């Protein structure tokens, strides 16, 4: 997807949306919004101050996702796979301020992975299929000019299956993933390094890179217009390839293809070893940003790369602990790339350099929660909440923020003029809202899905007090989950009043209450 997404956009209100699909009057507050396929779970903190600061923002993010960002999917534009379903006939868009159609793999996959697959499985499924097409060898993630983005679809699709148990989706997702990964390995794998070539997962803008490869003679903000960027081997992209191999191995295993699963796991292990060999910096306790084809290593800190190293299980426990201890935080959060490249500074920060994008910041917060670091997790949530609530009375989830002031700002980046231009931070960002939802659902409540069950691995900062998640729909059941105490170690758990492990089998039905007591 091109970096310059700066056109105006129309906004359809919730009432207008429901009327447009002929379902006005069917949605009720706090209940299933049948008009667009969402259930609307509620978060309630025992401390009133925490509820005002964090609980209310969950409702804001959920409403934004179900309302502003869930749009009608024109068959001619979005259904090139032939797999979208009508109803619901809707998908999750990327956000406000961008041209239509917004058929972008990275946004679709991230939003399904973050929240849509859990809260509206039919919408999440449609969103994933909206960036898939029929290729000469079958289904494949769309083959566009951001080819390094394609593999993020694979772990997102595996996550969708684990939540829903949809076997028909699994078989088609497996076909799509095999074809996509086969194409990317044939075209982009650097056998000499054992890594995949391609720019950084998040940084499609040239402001996310030093000079070189950024070139003053190229009057474009798009990364691939600058020479040599196609040969970069970046931390985040290779972590996603590791996650894609592992996810595809899980799909193969679920479909009974043990031989393919073993081969994919072996490929993932080799890729993990290559990332460690070429990008791990033992003296600094962190990973480098990228390696060029000639072997030069850029040692900048890549926020998404470090988060994905933990979430995609590239970093082992020792490395994960060191990363969390050594990561640089700006006053308002985790930035795309630290430090400033020489052509930028605090006064004119690079758009993809020292700026807080909530999607990247949120990934890091989830990585901290996954590692049981309640201190860093609390900092992540608190700072994202402060950015959003500080953006105005509407509590809008913007595209990016200044990392020093916390102000809504789009940063600076080279453009068509041949000089750095000041960009706009667009409002109504779907993946900024879903980043917050994922912090609450996956981070705070620790929702971890397997084929057989939902397992809870909560991370509750003690200062937040007790908290409950009411009305969460999971397969054929509805759950109320309550956390007490604080920390990440489970001291006790009851399911419907009976003591046991924090596990809910996937084949349960009806309404169930899970109560978890935590200790530091």
């Amino acid at each position: 997807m091109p970096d310059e997404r700066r056109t105006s956009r129309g906004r359809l209100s919730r009432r207008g949306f429901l009327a447009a699909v002929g379902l006005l009057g069917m949605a009720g507050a706090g209940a299933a919004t049948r008009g667009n396929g969402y259930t609307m779970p509620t978060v309630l903190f025992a401390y009133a101050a925490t509820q005002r600061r964090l609980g209310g923002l969950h409702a804001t993010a959920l409403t934004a996702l179900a309302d502003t960002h869930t749009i009608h999917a024109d068959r001619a534009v979005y259904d090139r796979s032939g797999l979208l379903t009508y109803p619901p006939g809707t998908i999750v868009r990327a956000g406000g301020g961008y041209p239509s159609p917004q058929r972008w793999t990275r946004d679709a996959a991230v939003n399904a992975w973050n929240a849509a697959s859990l809260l509206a499985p039919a919408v999440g499924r449609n969103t994933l299929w909206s960036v898939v097409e029929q290729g000469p060898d079958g289904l494949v993630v769309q083959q566009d000019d951001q080819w390094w983005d394609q593999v993020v679809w694979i772990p997102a699709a595996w996550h969708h299956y684990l939540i829903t148990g949809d076997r028909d989706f699994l078989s088609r997702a497996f076909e799509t993933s095999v074809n996509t990964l086969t194409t990317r390995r044939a075209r982009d794998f650097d056998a000499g390094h054992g890594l995949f070539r391609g720019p950084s997962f998040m940084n499609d803008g040239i402001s996310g890179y030093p000079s070189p490869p950024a070139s003053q003679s190229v009057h474009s903000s798009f990364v691939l217009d600058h020479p040599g960027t196609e040969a970069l081997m970046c931390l985040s992209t290779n972590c996603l390839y590791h996650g894609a191999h592992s996810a595809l191995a899980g799909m193969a295993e679920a479909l009974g293809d043990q031989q393919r699963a073993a081969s994919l796991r072996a490929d993932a292990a080799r890729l993990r070893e290559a990332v460690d060999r070429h990008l791990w910096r033992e003296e600094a306790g962190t990973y480098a940003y990228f390696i060029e084809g000639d072997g030069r290593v850029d040692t900048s800190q890549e926020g998404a790369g470090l988060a994905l190293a933990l979430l995609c299980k590239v970093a082992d426990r020792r490395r994960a602990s060191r990363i969390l201890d050594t990561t640089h935080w700006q006053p308002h959060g985790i930035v795309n790339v630290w430090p400033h490249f020489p052509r930028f500074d605090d006064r004119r920060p690079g758009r993809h350099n020292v700026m807080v994008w909530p999607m990247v910041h949120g990934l890091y917060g989830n990585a901290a929660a996954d590692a049981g670091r309640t201190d860093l997790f609390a900092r992540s949530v608190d700072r994202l909440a402060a950015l959003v609530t500080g953006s105005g009375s509407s509590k809008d989830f913007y595209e990016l923020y200044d990392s020093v002031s916390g102000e809504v700002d789009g940063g600076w980046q080279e453009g068509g003029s041949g000089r750095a231009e000041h960009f706009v931070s667009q409002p109504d960002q779907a993946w900024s809202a879903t980043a917050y939802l994922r912090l609450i659902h996956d981070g705070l409540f620790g929702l971890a899905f397997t084929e057989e069950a939902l397992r809870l691995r909560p991370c509750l900062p003690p200062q937040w007090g007790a908290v409950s998640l009411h009305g969460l729909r999971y397969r054929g059941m509805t759950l109320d989950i309550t956390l007490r105490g604080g920390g990440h170690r489970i001291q006790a758990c009851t399911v419907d009043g009976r003591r046991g492990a924090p596990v809910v089998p996937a084949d349960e039905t009806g309404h169930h209450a899970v109560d978890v007591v935590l200790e530091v």
Side-chain angles (χ1 to χ4, degrees), residues 9 69 93 95-97 396-399 424-430:
R9 54 92 179 92
H69 299 305
R93 70 169 189 171
D396 198 356
F397 286 83
Y398 277 85
E399 189 180 32
V424 173
S425 178
Q426 298 296 343
D428 298 329
Q429 293 298 291

Side-chain angles (χ1 to χ4, degrees), residues 254-313:
L255 292 168
D257 191 341
Q258 302 298 334
Q259 183 175 357
R260 188 190 291 265
S263 176
L264 286 160
R265 293 194 195 285
D267 287 341
R270 284 189 288 270
L271 180 55
R272 176 182 178 180
E273 191 277 330
V275 171
D276 285 343
R277 183 170 69 253
H278 293 293
L279 295 173
W280 177 251
R281 302 173 59 214
E282 182 62 30
E283 78 288 355
T286 191
Y287 286 104
Y289 178 16
F290 64 76
I291 181 172
E292 296 197 59
D294 61 5
R296 185 182 71 87
V297 176
D298 183 279
T299 60
S300 303
Q301 171 185 294
E302 185 197 8
L306 297 183
L308 290 167
L310 273 65
L311 293 173
C312 293
K313 309 304 180 187

